[in-house]
Amino acid sequence: MRAAPFARRGVTVVGGTRVRAPAELLDLLAEGGSGYHFFGKSVERVCLCL
């Protein structure tokens, strides 16, 4: 990721998610799962401090 365009606009933190187990996540979503079901198991939260 290139941080310069964000930093020029005053952004100091960028957040997102990282999928660790795609097959498991797709199964959970197909079953109607929500963030409570997959965060910490197949998906993790990521914060990047610029």
Side-chain angles (χ1 to χ4, degrees), residues 23-38:
E24 182 181 332
L25 175 61
L26 290 175
D27 288 343
L28 286 169
L29 291 173
E31 294 171 1
S34 67
Y36 295 107
H37 299 106
F38 53 77

